Every structure is written in structure tokens, then in C-alpha cells.
């Protein structure tokens, strides 16, 4: 006897009903109606010419022929499902090279990588952090996270998350100065990240925040300069002055009282983008990293 499409289509229903000893429970598992299960079993019995179940009031039992059929069908379906799982997992095994700037990797990405590992234990993210600005010319990465304006000629990109800017100071500075007075920021050294994004001026972040905050009277061309945002934040924590900080780079300094924010945050003109080669998301591993970054980037905090 040849196995036709109707017999093959009914095998999953037969296996569930036989395993659960119930048409209604099989229907619930398969998200179909009990009537549909009953009809498929009747059609299957008609196709092969034997009765597979003895129908009782609240359950069904396999006949001798039904048991013989089940002992063949069950391991075959399990084998097929295992094979499909292996095929699916094979695309989610291996390395993904991720490149970003050091400040963002240390302060934002690394504390969250454990969540990715739990979800995708067979994908190994090779994280590369070099330089204060992201170098996209060599393209020696599968996926990159850049803080910028969203223009990446020759590459694809996805918006991952917005960024906020605000000044931060040590507890000593916070308590010693009346921050509500006009020009208060002129009384303290300003701490700068000199390379917040490509082609930015050394005081670009300070000038942007002051402009949108309506504090144009503050002189920004002074203070101390660093080529990484986390260094400026550390300098503020040490009492060297007031840093203009990105919210994503403050992990627990505010919570633990090591830094205070005397003014309101402002949404930055730059945002974090996921950058990748055209067509890269056809690779299941790269797409898994991309989609996970989009997901956690949309979460508060």
C-alpha cells in the first residue's frame, strides 16, 4: 500500500490522539476542533482499511492495529522533528563579529550580553572595541553599533535607540553651587568628550545641550578634554568638573549617588544605529543579534 498525502496529513493528528488517549485533548494541542480530529481519524482508518481506536465515552484506546501503527509513527515523527530542530539550530551556531566604540561596549553592551547568551547559547559574539570613533571603512565586522546621524553610504542600518544628554557632577560640586542661578556653569570646569561622533568639534555635545536648554551665555571653549565619554564621566565623578553625559553610559553612578544631574536631560541629535552590509540579515546569526539589539534598545533603562 502506498502512503498518500491524506495519510501523511493525518499522522500528526493520529499520534496526538494516541498519545493523549483523547480526541478533545489532541484537538486542544493541535488548535483544531474535536470534530476535525474525529474526521481526520475516520478518513485515516478508511484509507488504510483498519480501525485504529476503540471509542469510549471520555477517552479512546488503541486497537491492536492502532498500537502497531503508533509504535511506528511516533518515533518517525520525533525523528523528523529532531532533524528539523538541528537544521534550524545550525543557522544559529557560530561567531558574529560586533564592533562598537569602547565607552558604549563597556558601559552599555557588556552588562546585557548575558541575556543574549542565555537565549542563543550557540552564537558567540566576538566584540571588538577600538578607538573613540567607529571605523566603518574596513568593514571587518558582521554588525556594528554606531553613535551618529544615521548616514552610512554603502551600508544598511537600523535605528537601535535614542540618546539623551545632561550634565553630571560629583556630590561636592552639586551641593556647593546654586545651579538655578544664570551662568552657574561658568563657575566650574567643563569636561568634554572630544570625539562624540564623526567630524564633531571638541565641545559639540556641550554646545548642543546648552543651545536646546536655552543657556547660550555659557562659554564652552574651556575645561578638560577627553577622547572618550566614559573618561569624562569618571573625571566628573572624581570632582574635576562637570561632564556632559550620555544617559546610556551611566550605569549606576546616579543610582549610587556618585554623580548628580543638576539640569534636565535633552534628546540628542545623534542616535545609536546598527550598521551592517547589504543582505547581511539573511544570515540567521547576524539577524538574531540585530533583532536582540533592537529589542533591548527599546527597553527603558
Amino acid at each position: 500500500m502506498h502512503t498518500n498525502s491524506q495519510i501523511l496529513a493525518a499522522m500528526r493528528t493520529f499520534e496526538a490522539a494516541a498519545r493523549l488517549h483523547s480526541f478533545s485533548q489532541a484537538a486542544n494541542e493541535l488548535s483544531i476542533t474535536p470534530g476535525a480530529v474525529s474526521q481526520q481519524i475516520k478518513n485515516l482508518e478508511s484509507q488504510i482499511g483498519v480501525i485504529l481506536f476503540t471509542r469510549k465515552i471520555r477517552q479512546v484506546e488503541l486497537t491492536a492495529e492502532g498500537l502497531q501503527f503508533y509504535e511506528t509513527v511516533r518515533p518517525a515523527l520525533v525523528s523528523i522533528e529532531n532533524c528539523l530542530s538541528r537544521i534550524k539550530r545550525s543557522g544559529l551556531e557560530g561567531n558574529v563579529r560586533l564592533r562598537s566604540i569602547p565607552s558604549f561596549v563597556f558601559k552599555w553592551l557588556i552588562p546585557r550580553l548575558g541575556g543574549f547568551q542565555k537565549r542563543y547559547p550557540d552564537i558567540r559574539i566576538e566584540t571588538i572595541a577600538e578607538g573613540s570613533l567607529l571605523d566603518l571603512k574596513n568593514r571587518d565586522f558582521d554588525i556594528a553599533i554606531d553613535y551618529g546621524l544615521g548616514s552610512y553610504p554603502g551600508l544598511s542600518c537600523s535605528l537601535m535607540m535614542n540618546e539623551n544628554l545632561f550634565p553630571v557632577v560629583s556630590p561636592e560640586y552639586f551641593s556647593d553651587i546654586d545651579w538655578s542661578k544664570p551662568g552657574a556653569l561658568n563657575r566650574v570646569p567643563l569636561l568634554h568628550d572630544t570625539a562624540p561622533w564623526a567630524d564633531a568639534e571638541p565641545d559639540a555635545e556641550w554646545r548642543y545641550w546648552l543651545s536646546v536648554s536655552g543657556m547660550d551665555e555659557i562659554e564652552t571653549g574651556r575645561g578638560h578634554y577627553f577622547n572618550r565619554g566614559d573618561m569624562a564621566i569618571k573625571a566628573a565623578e572624581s570632582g574635576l568638573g562637570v561632564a556632559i553625559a550620555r544617559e546610556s553610559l551611566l550605569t549606576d553612578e546616579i543610582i549610587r549617588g556618585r554623580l548628580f544631574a543638576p539640569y534636565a536631560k535633552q534628546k540628542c541629535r545623534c542616535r545609536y544605529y546598527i550598521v551592517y552590509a547589504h543582505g547581511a540579515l539573511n544570515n540567521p546569526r547576524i539577524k538574531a543579534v540585530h533583532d536582540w539589539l533592537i529589542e533591548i534598545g527599546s527597553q527603558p533603562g
Side-chain angles (χ1 to χ4, degrees), residues 139-157:
R139 302 188 183 181
D140 55 341
F141 57 86
D142 297 309
I143 203 163
I145 304 172
D146 186 46
Y147 178 65
L149 299 173
S151 176
Y152 303 100
L155 291 165
S156 296
C157 72

Side-chain angles (χ1 to χ4, degrees), residues 121-287:
D122 297 320
I123 297 179
R124 297 173 295 279
I125 296 181
E126 181 184 340
T127 306
I128 305 162
E130 296 178 1
S132 56
L133 290 174
L134 189 62
D135 180 8
L136 299 174
K137 294 179 181 179
N138 295 326
R139 302 188 183 181
D140 55 341
F141 57 86
D142 297 309
I143 203 163
I145 304 172
D146 186 46
Y147 178 65
L149 299 173
S151 176
Y152 303 100
L155 291 165
S156 296
C157 72
S158 303
L159 174 62
M160 190 180 83
M161 67 180 190
N162 296 316
E163 182 60 286
N164 295 310
L165 293 176
F166 55 96
V168 291
V169 296
S170 67
E172 292 76 16
Y173 265 121
F174 184 73
S175 59
D176 287 347
I177 295 177
D178 184 354
W179 299 100
S180 64
K181 286 187 175 181
L185 283 168
N186 281 324
R187 298 178 53 196
V188 293
L190 302 185
L191 307 176
H192 303 270
D193 175 359
T194 61
W197 60 82
D199 301 320
E201 295 294 329
D203 60 348
E205 282 192 314
W206 264 115
R207 283 194 286 109
Y208 175 82
W209 183 86
L210 289 166
S211 175
V212 295
S213 299
M215 298 185 185
D216 296 325
E217 76 279 5
I218 305 302
E219 170 58 46
T220 60
R222 58 190 176 78
H224 304 285
Y225 295 83
F226 306 88
N227 72 334
R228 282 173 44 174
D230 56 347
M231 293 169 64
I233 291 171
K234 187 64 178 177
E237 187 180 334
S238 301
L240 194 59
V242 184
I244 191 73
R246 299 177 209 164
E247 190 171 25
S248 66
L249 302 186
L250 292 175
T251 50
D252 62 352
E253 290 90 343
I254 297 285
I255 295 174
R256 295 179 181 273
R258 297 200 299 264
L259 286 173
F260 288 85
Y263 300 107
K265 67 180 70 172
Q266 301 288 353
K267 183 176 288 188
C268 185
R269 62 193 292 244
C270 290
R271 300 188 283 182
Y272 289 98
Y273 291 89
I274 305 171
V275 186
Y276 44 92
H278 298 316
L281 298 188
N282 293 328
N283 182 309
R285 295 190 305 278
I286 297 175
K287 189 174 189 308

Side-chain angles (χ1 to χ4, degrees), residues 26 44 50 54 82 242 250 299:
L44 178 60
V50 297
T54 300
N82 289 340
V242 184
L250 292 175
Q299 295 172 357

